[in-house]
Amino acid sequence: MSPSFHIPYILPTALLALALVLKLPTFLRASRDPDVRATTLLLIWATAVLVVITPVNIERLNVLTGIPNIASPWAYSFLTAFCATGLTMIMRWREAPSVRRRRRIRRIYWIYAGIVAVLWLTFILADVPTARVYDLDTYYAGTPWMREHILLYIAAHTVSSLVAVSMLWRWFPEVANRWLKAGVVFLQLGFASGLVFDGAKLAAVGARWSGHDWDVLSTQAAPPFALMEAALVALGFIVPQAGPFVQKWVRDRREYRRLAPLWHALRSLTPAAAEARFGPWTALDLRLMQRRQRIHDALRMLGPYLDPILHQRACEAAQARDAAQARDAAQTGDGVPDADGVAGAITISAAISTYQQGGPPVAHPQGPQGGAVVGGHIEGIASALHRPRILQDVRRRMTSTESAHHHG
């Protein structure tokens, strides 16, 4: 048996196992949440199906248990549980919580639990002494009780796929959330792949009954669609939950990095009492909250040294620079920070220098304190501090303007 034959099984199995591992922390934190619990169970059943149906594991089960074809009821039981969980999750998404929905979900679980019990019963009653790794369904298509065993799992899977596709098709136009809509698309593709799998299996089994050999439909055409279904349906339930989390993580990561220049400029001013050691594994949102808080604490400490007049002059010089660049087409589109951000960066840099050299605070006879002036432009200031050439240019303009005033 070539190891390359198992690669199509290994890849989706590894994907589902990874998704399950990533989902476990959420499950441990929110195990009482029905959606989290159902998603975790769905991943468990899908992973279990792919693990059991891998040819090498079928052979191992036969050897370990000493029961030929024991993988059949195991795999089909996990597949049936997967179908039931998928249907109930779609119902949870589509319908608001109600007594009616709860009863329908329970009814589905009981029906599919009964199917699992009958699968085991028919397997026990069937006479299947010859182990078949690849062509079990067609080899035993005419065997009493095993015939019913095979038809039962195909029928249960077909019904669940048809119902799921029908519900998703009707629900799709109503979905507004883009992540949920993407999940619905994955689910539709997944359950449609399941229907192709069922059609190929039924055609191969029916051909055996009529004396024809269409086994290739069961052994080669159907398995890829089963793998696609498991992966696509799992993605369909993962994407709507993981998508917003990843989107927020990217947004927080971008802001965390944008604030870095301002934080590095202010970190020497942060009171020792504010230091809280967060390790590299600390959640990003906590580290971002800490960075924001430290920046605001440092700005409050630096407030008496922030010069509103300097800020106004820097803002005017930055606006003049922006106007000059707007007239020069060759220099537009270089990602210049706004004038308030540049002015705030210059004002903060001057205040830090005064503070560190032990200079006197700035007098504020009228108008807002310096901290109030720069406090609303933190991201723009951080962006400006990352572009020292722009700050130098604005400082030169301020010096030139001041000299012109003096000469005038």
Side-chain angles (χ1 to χ4, degrees):
M1 189 181 305
S2 172
S4 62
F5 183 83
H6 305 305
I7 291 177
Y9 293 87
I10 293 171
L11 294 179
T13 305
L15 173 66
L16 288 168
L18 176 62
L20 181 59
V21 169
L22 295 175
K23 191 69 181 177
L24 279 178
T26 305
F27 174 74
L28 294 176
R29 289 195 304 268
S31 58
R32 295 185 178 181
D33 186 324
D35 290 341
V36 172
R37 191 164 57 241
T39 304
T40 306
L41 285 173
L42 183 96
L43 292 173
I44 290 173
W45 304 142
T47 305
V49 170
L50 295 186
V51 168
V52 174
I53 67 172
T54 303
V56 66
N57 290 332
I58 292 176
E59 294 180 345
R60 286 172 180 166
L61 274 173
N62 291 337
V63 172
L64 288 175
T65 62
I67 303 174
N69 305 306
I70 189 65
S72 175
W74 276 114
Y76 298 154
S77 295
F78 288 134
L79 180 63
T80 302
F82 172 81
C83 294
T85 308
L87 284 177
T88 58
M89 280 202 66
I90 294 172
M91 292 171 61
R92 292 182 194 279
W93 284 0
R94 287 188 62 203
E95 305 174 21
S98 65
V99 174
R100 178 175 176 270
R101 190 191 76 170
R102 187 163 57 249
R103 287 175 180 170
R104 291 176 64 198
I105 289 174
R106 286 179 180 174
R107 190 179 301 121
I108 288 173
Y109 280 136
W110 277 112
I111 290 172
Y112 278 82
I115 292 172
V116 170
V118 176
L119 283 172
W120 280 95
L121 178 62
T122 53
F123 178 78
I124 292 170
L125 294 174
D127 182 19
V128 286
T130 305
R132 308 299 299 185
V133 175
Y134 304 105
D135 61 348
L136 175 76
D137 294 341
T138 51
Y139 187 84
Y140 288 111
T143 303
W145 294 112
M146 195 62 184
R147 175 183 56 228
E148 288 75 14
H149 177 86
I150 295 165
L151 286 177
L152 180 60
Y153 97 80
I154 295 177
H157 186 256
T158 301
V159 170
S160 67
S161 297
L162 283 172
V163 172
V165 168
S166 175
M167 287 195 300
L168 292 167
W169 184 263
R170 293 197 305 268
W171 185 37
F172 183 80
E174 304 173 10
V175 179
N177 182 280
R178 62 171 181 158
W179 291 110
L180 185 55
K181 190 176 283 286
V184 171
V185 172
F186 278 120
L187 289 173
Q188 287 177 318
L189 293 174
F191 286 115
S193 299
L195 288 173
V196 177
F197 167 84
D198 296 328
K201 286 284 186 180
L202 281 173
V205 170
R208 277 287 182 138
W209 292 343
S210 62
H212 297 86
D213 184 355
W214 291 2
D215 289 12
V216 67
L217 292 177
S218 177
T219 58
Q220 297 184 32
F225 288 99
L227 300 178
M228 286 176 57
E229 179 190 14
L232 288 171
V233 171
L235 283 173
F237 288 117
I238 293 169
V239 165
Q241 299 182 47
F245 171 81
V246 172
Q247 185 178 29
K248 181 180 182 301
W249 186 91
V250 171
R251 186 171 60 246
D252 288 350
R253 169 61 64 180
R254 190 181 299 122
E255 183 178 355
Y256 187 79
R257 289 178 175 174
R258 277 203 302 259
L259 293 177
L262 179 57
W263 162 236
H264 288 306
L266 294 171
R267 63 187 307 173
S268 61
L269 308 177
T270 306
E275 292 290 336
R277 298 295 179 183
F278 282 170
W281 299 108
T282 304
L284 177 60
D285 56 349
L286 292 178
R287 285 186 283 146
L288 176 59
M289 182 177 65
Q290 183 196 53
R291 177 161 287 185
R292 287 174 182 157
Q293 186 61 47
R294 288 180 175 181
I295 287 173
H296 285 293
D297 289 344
L299 286 177
R300 279 197 294 270
M301 178 177 290
L302 200 61
Y305 299 88
L306 294 169
D307 188 348
I309 298 176
L310 174 64
H311 182 274
Q312 183 176 356
R313 288 174 46 225
C315 190
E316 292 171 353
Q319 289 171 347
R321 179 184 183 276
D322 292 345
Q325 283 195 332
R327 291 192 299 269
D328 187 353
Q331 295 186 20
T332 57
D334 60 351
V336 177
D338 60 34
D340 286 321
V342 173
I346 292 174
T347 306
I348 286 175
S349 297
I352 291 173
S353 178
T354 302
Y355 177 85
Q356 291 177 338
Q357 293 174 10
V362 176
H364 297 89
Q366 295 179 359
Q369 295 286 319
V373 172
V374 301
H377 306 282
I378 287 177
E379 290 191 9
I381 293 170
S383 176
L385 287 171
H386 194 59
R387 295 171 171 83
R389 288 198 304 174
I390 296 176
L391 299 183
Q392 291 172 7
D393 187 15
V394 173
R395 288 190 181 102
R396 282 196 299 269
R397 288 176 177 273
M398 292 170 63
T399 303
S400 300
T401 303
E402 186 177 358
S403 299
H405 285 315
H406 281 309
H407 287 300

